[in-house]
Amino acid sequence: MSERSFDISRRRFILSAGFTAAALSLTPRQFFGAEQNLVAGARASGAKAKIATQALRGNVSALIGSGGNIAVLPGSDGKLIIDSGYLTSRPQIAAALDGISRDPIKHLVNTHWHFDHTDGNEWMHSAGATIMAHENTKKHLSTTTRVDDWDFTFPPLPAAAIPTELTGAEKTLHLNGATIALRHYDPAHTDSDISIYFTEADVLHTGDTWWNGYYPFIDYSTGGSIDGMIKAAEANLAMVTDKMIVIPGHGPIGGKSGLVQYRDLLVTVRDRVAALKGEGKSLNEIVAAKPTAAYDAKWGTGFVNGEFFTKLIYKGVG
Ligand SMILES: [Zn+2]
């Protein structure tokens, strides 16, 4: 059975089962995702998103609750914002930004091209932001991009939403009295991932190379892979110190211990799935063996459950 038909038959099963115990054991987001396309469901959820503002250090704050985690550095050069959340959350995000300071929105950086980090680009640009990102983010946002694992095709974004200031391997910004270092990862979650490091505040935004407390999505359609995710987790660990505050792409603010747990999770599950695949087991047999079972209660309650994570790893091993 192909992966695609596996997905569809699972959806049919959930729909035909109605409100059975199996359906009720899913989180609302998973159940919603089973009824609707995952991207459409995620965007719809943004309308009801509650945004929490968390002050971190050195004037850097995080807005948590709409798509990927957003970082904000206000000041006399205008606000610098990292990632733009769902368009459907615009009123809540705008209110949260106003709550931080009255400085205008001037600079937006995208950690990578995904919709839950870039849907708000157009309105932030209309509010005054110049958009910066890795050149591959511009490439994917400018063209039709299909993500099979989301069963979704993204049309090109309007010109106002496309980054116009591009980074390659590294770039340093000087804004609002801070030194901000942008660094491209080798292909990991996508081929467009960058980290943003607020040097004086010692706050790092990892984009979606780190999902704190959740199995990550891995976007093979635009260059991602499990081995690339592990290399990026190692790169984050090489940089982190005991004092550094780390903003993950998804999940709560954390630091070194969380990054260590996450790297260990990726390596352990990757090795298990690779061993089963090496024994000649099929995808369905490997999913049935539940190689993530011991981790699902802690890591499998978000966007990606244990079965989906197993399938994402299977694609990239052996
Ligand atoms: Zn992403």
Side-chain angles (χ1 to χ4, degrees):
M1 192 183 276
S2 74
E3 286 178 44
R4 184 65 176 282
S5 59
F6 185 92
D7 268 333
I8 289 166
S9 63
R10 179 170 160 263
R11 269 175 209 158
R12 282 208 189 110
F13 166 73
I14 290 168
L15 289 174
S16 63
F19 287 95
T20 63
L24 289 170
S25 72
L26 297 169
T27 64
R29 179 179 288 175
Q30 286 170 318
F31 189 60
F32 199 39
E35 287 182 304
Q36 268 201 12
N37 176 269
L38 187 145
V39 173
R43 282 177 162 155
S45 75
K48 294 179 189 165
K50 289 200 169 71
I51 307 293
T53 302
Q54 194 171 341
L56 300 178
R57 190 160 56 205
N59 237 4
V60 179
S61 292
L63 305 187
I64 297 178
S66 171
N69 291 331
I70 294 169
V72 185
L73 178 69
S76 57
D77 296 322
K79 284 193 185 90
L80 165 65
I81 301 173
I82 313 300
D83 282 347
S84 61
Y86 295 127
L87 175 61
T88 47
S89 309
R90 175 179 176 170
Q92 302 97 302
I93 292 172
L97 290 171
D98 282 348
I100 289 173
S101 80
R102 302 302 298 173
D103 303 312
I105 296 171
K106 286 287 189 189
H107 311 273
L108 170 63
V109 175
N110 294 140
T111 58
H112 63 296
W113 77 272
H114 279 160
F115 73 105
D116 49 330
H117 303 254
T118 57
D119 267 5
N121 277 17
E122 190 175 11
W123 82 258
M124 287 194 186
H125 177 74
S126 73
T130 300
I131 307 175
M132 177 177 292
H134 187 264
E135 54 203 19
N136 289 339
T137 293
K138 178 182 180 180
K139 185 173 91 180
H140 299 311
L141 294 180
S142 305
T143 54
T144 300
T145 304
R146 167 84 190 162
V147 180
D148 280 338
D149 287 312
W150 290 340
D151 191 20
F152 201 85
T153 302
F154 295 86
L157 292 189
I162 307 255
T164 53
E165 296 197 20
L166 304 181
T167 70
E170 290 186 3
K171 190 167 192 121
T172 303
L173 309 178
H174 299 277
L175 290 169
N176 297 326
T179 312
I180 302 118
L182 279 48
R183 190 194 288 183
H184 184 231
Y185 294 93
D186 289 337
H189 170 72
T190 68
D191 62 6
S192 63
D193 309 308
I194 59 171
S195 61
I196 293 90
Y197 181 54
F198 297 90
T199 307
E200 294 83 2
D202 196 17
V203 174
L204 175 69
H205 195 317
T206 64
D208 279 2
T209 68
W210 186 29
W211 296 47
N212 187 11
Y214 299 104
Y215 294 134
F217 180 66
I218 304 170
D219 185 357
Y220 287 84
S221 72
T222 56
S225 69
I226 179 60
D227 285 345
M229 286 294 272
I230 290 170
K231 280 187 195 139
E234 296 287 3
N236 289 332
L237 279 174
M239 193 173 167
V240 76
T241 62
D242 290 337
K243 288 185 179 168
M244 190 183 288
I245 295 172
V246 187
I247 307 171
H250 297 274
I253 305 300
K256 184 175 181 179
S257 66
L259 282 169
V260 170
Q261 284 180 45
Y262 178 74
R263 186 270 318 271
D264 292 348
L265 169 86
L266 296 186
V267 170
T268 302
V269 180
R270 189 267 315 266
D271 289 351
R272 280 186 193 177
V273 173
L276 291 165
K277 195 171 179 181
E279 291 168 15
K281 292 202 164 36
S282 70
L283 173 60
N284 284 351
E285 286 168 339
I286 294 172
V287 167
K290 298 188 186 301
T292 64
Y295 303 98
D296 287 351
K298 176 172 163 55
W299 300 87
T301 62
F303 204 56
V304 176
N305 64 17
E307 177 188 315
F308 192 10
F309 188 47
T310 300
K311 290 158 81 176
L312 291 171
I313 292 179
Y314 177 88
K315 279 189 183 208
V317 297

